[in-house]
Amino acid sequence: MQAKSLHPVPAAIEVVALTKRYARGKPAVDSINLRIESGSYCCLLGPSGCGKSTTLRMIAGHETVSSGDVLLDNRNITELPAAARGTAMMFQSFALFPHLSALDNVAFSLKMKGVGQTERRARAAALLERVAMGHLMERKPAELSGGQQQRVALARALITQPRVLLLDEPLSALDPFLRIQMRAELRRWQKELGLTFIHVTHSQEEAMALADTMVVMNHGVIEQVGSPYEVYNRPANEFVARFMGGHNVIDTPQGKVGVRTDQLGVLPEGAAPPEGSMHMSAVVTDVEYQGPYVLLGLQRAGGSLSAHATAEYSVMVPESVHLLQPCEVGQPVLLHWPPARAHPLQAAA
């Protein structure tokens, strides 16, 4: 029985024309279609208000669906209560009962189902051991660190034997160092358990570190679905390029393109650009030392070039290159890039 609770069979999730409307205004989620493969780690990513958490809550059964369907392994679960779906939610706040020990927090849902004390505590203890919390199982949440509370919350979600684990910004309450440590643990647990994870985050870095599949949302619609490599290197449109960061959106005679910050080169004004390259004149507006590289902010020449001008473009210059040929704020330069490194951008969805 313990083995079964630790290794439930994963499931695919599919949403079909899924929509959430409130009383006024545009839909929070606007007829989206998405399939998340069984056993994969999917991150729903986007700015605040984009519909990612609402989508997760509709999958979980914590938010009613205005129209459309939620399928788990082709079984329609749209109208089922949360407890009957085969999913479990891990909340941003962890939502642990402050008066219960870690062990009793994890065992609580089994208690509500009428499972006997000996069995439910044994299963809870096994899961706490699995997430390296067995030695602290008698402590209450206030006696645990943020990372330890997260492990208890994970064990509590897993004890229901879910086929899909839903995570609503589970790392946002942690400090930066612990956030990096815990995202590595989440990825390891997902691989060991073999479950389908659907993880909502506003952090591009977090999504790229964790996901097999990234779903970028904006204004209730899906802008792009793909692997972290695909989304970062081939953004579908200007919104994705700007939101993911690390890209410059440049208007060229051939149309709007995205060029990664590490693919742009900088030369002194008047220098000849590399043969066959695209290029334009610009002015340095900001110089930031970042350790292994220097981040230059630049603005196209001919615009408003005041001392407080906002950077239109960014360039990552290796530290060694910058030391040999440093740039200063206000300096005219020539930006250049290989045409093959420019990715065409479509209109946003």
Side-chain angles (χ1 to χ4, degrees):
M1 183 174 296
Q2 291 178 4
K4 182 179 179 182
S5 69
L6 293 177
H7 297 282
V9 178
I13 284 283
E14 186 171 5
V15 299
V16 181
L18 191 66
T19 301
K20 179 62 182 182
R21 298 185 187 89
Y22 295 103
R24 298 178 180 178
K26 296 179 65 176
V29 176
D30 193 0
S31 192
I32 65 170
N33 296 287
L34 174 67
R35 180 176 175 83
I36 299 168
E37 295 301 327
S38 173
S40 66
Y41 202 127
C42 175
C43 282
L44 305 182
L45 175 69
S48 297
C50 72
K52 57 188 184 295
S53 289
T54 303
T55 299
L56 194 76
R57 291 177 62 82
M58 285 192 286
I59 294 172
H62 298 309
E63 188 79 59
T64 58
V65 173
S66 299
S67 61
D69 295 291
V70 180
L71 308 178
L72 187 147
D73 275 353
N74 298 319
R75 178 173 68 101
N76 196 317
I77 62 172
T78 310
E79 302 298 329
L80 292 180
R85 293 187 171 218
T87 65
M89 177 79 90
M90 185 172 166
F91 295 96
Q92 178 179 351
S93 64
F94 307 146
L96 300 175
F97 295 116
H99 62 289
L100 296 180
S101 67
L103 181 67
D104 288 334
N105 262 286
V106 175
F108 185 79
S109 63
L110 297 184
K111 181 180 181 180
M112 292 298 98
K113 292 181 179 180
V115 177
Q117 183 182 50
T118 300
E119 179 183 343
R120 69 175 183 259
R121 288 175 68 87
R123 289 170 60 178
L127 277 169
L128 286 168
E129 290 287 352
R130 185 64 179 267
V131 298
M133 284 294 295
H135 63 300
L136 299 175
M137 65 176 63
E138 296 301 334
R139 290 192 182 182
K140 294 181 180 178
E143 301 171 309
L144 302 173
S145 69
Q148 290 166 344
Q149 290 181 35
Q150 184 185 55
R151 295 179 190 184
V152 175
L154 176 63
R156 185 184 57 182
L158 294 176
I159 204 166
T160 63
Q161 301 180 24
R163 302 181 66 193
V164 179
L165 185 63
L166 308 171
L167 305 100
D168 189 8
E169 300 203 37
L171 306 180
S172 62
L174 305 178
D175 65 66
F177 176 80
L178 185 56
R179 194 177 304 142
I180 293 173
Q181 179 183 356
M182 293 308 297
R183 78 186 184 202
E185 292 198 19
L186 278 178
R187 184 63 175 166
R188 176 174 60 81
W189 288 327
Q190 190 266 336
K191 290 296 185 183
E192 288 183 0
L193 294 164
L195 284 177
T196 307
F197 275 32
I198 307 177
H199 178 136
V200 161
T201 180
H202 60 270
S203 167
Q204 300 89 333
E205 179 185 1
E206 187 174 300
M208 288 194 291
L210 288 168
D212 300 312
T213 302
M214 292 173 60
V215 180
V216 183
M217 298 185 67
N218 187 36
H219 295 309
V221 300
I222 293 174
E223 298 283 1
Q224 187 170 0
V225 179
S227 69
Y229 179 87
E230 292 167 339
V231 173
Y232 186 77
N233 286 281
R234 293 190 290 275
N237 53 46
E238 181 178 355
F239 170 79
V240 177
R242 292 192 185 279
F243 180 76
M244 289 304 298
H247 283 80
N248 293 282
V249 178
I250 303 175
D251 285 314
T252 70
Q254 294 75 33
K256 190 164 289 187
V257 298
V259 183
R260 279 177 27 175
T261 58
D262 59 342
Q263 300 295 338
L264 280 172
V266 180
L267 291 171
E269 183 183 37
E275 185 176 353
S277 68
M278 301 292 291
H279 53 87
M280 67 178 180
S281 297
V283 176
V284 177
T285 60
D286 193 28
V287 179
E288 291 185 357
Y289 180 69
Q290 299 287 331
Y293 64 91
V294 173
L295 185 65
L296 300 181
L298 304 107
Q299 193 174 45
R300 187 189 292 263
S304 174
L305 299 176
S306 68
H308 302 290
T310 302
E312 292 180 281
Y313 311 112
S314 297
V315 181
M316 289 173 58
V317 180
E319 179 191 33
S320 58
V321 173
H322 182 77
L323 290 174
L324 291 174
Q325 197 173 64
C327 290
E328 298 179 353
V329 173
Q331 178 182 341
V333 294
L334 184 73
L335 283 181
H336 63 91
W337 63 94
R341 299 296 186 180
H343 177 73
L345 299 175
Q346 303 172 358

